[in-house]
Amino acid sequence: MIEPDEMEDAGRRLYSACKQGDTKQVRELLMSRAPVDFISTTEYGQTPLIVASQNGYQEIVSILLDFGASKDIHSRVCAISWLALSLFLLLRSSRLSLGRVTELAVC
């Protein structure tokens, strides 16, 4: 269990694991109650869900959604992030697979 004063650090580690595609670390952090909707302090204020979908990490996106990640797009997230998440949600609902999407540009 993560102590309240460690929540921000856990959120940063979750964001980093999602960005790097580290499925095992993502699962471990979420199981220890890392904040699934942590908003990074990057220029765009992205969430773990957005960065995972941008990088095409379908399994991580599914895990985050299973742990209750918000699908709401925050105002500072650019159109490419929105498109990546929307595409993933569409594929998930239709049970199709796109593989790792590497052509999406980072905002």
Side-chain angles (χ1 to χ4, degrees):
M1 185 73 146
I2 296 176
E3 297 298 321
D5 59 336
E6 297 173 342
M7 291 297 274
E8 188 171 339
D9 180 57
R12 280 194 297 270
R13 288 186 292 141
L14 176 62
Y15 178 85
S16 179
C18 289
K19 188 174 184 176
Q20 296 170 3
D22 188 341
T23 305
K24 180 181 176 190
Q25 181 73 8
V26 168
R27 196 178 310 274
E28 288 173 2
L29 286 164
L30 290 170
M31 293 296 288
S32 66
R33 304 255 190 218
V36 69
D37 286 325
F38 175 79
I39 298 175
S40 75
T41 55
T42 65
E43 179 181 352
Y44 299 105
Q46 297 172 316
T47 63
L49 180 61
I50 293 297
V51 77
S53 63
Q54 259 185 339
N55 289 297
Y57 299 128
Q58 293 182 24
E59 185 176 359
I60 291 175
V61 171
S62 290
I63 293 167
L64 291 167
L65 291 171
D66 290 344
F67 272 85
S70 173
K71 293 180 250 182
D72 293 338
I73 302 298
H74 299 281
S75 61
R76 296 189 323 175
V77 176
C78 72
I80 295 294
S81 297
W82 179 85
L83 177 62
L85 178 57
S86 297
L87 178 60
F88 175 82
L89 293 172
L90 176 66
L91 291 172
R92 181 179 180 178
S93 67
S94 65
R95 305 276 186 215
L96 297 174
S97 176
L98 184 60
R100 186 166 189 276
V101 180
T102 57
E103 301 303 318
L104 294 175
V106 175
C107 300

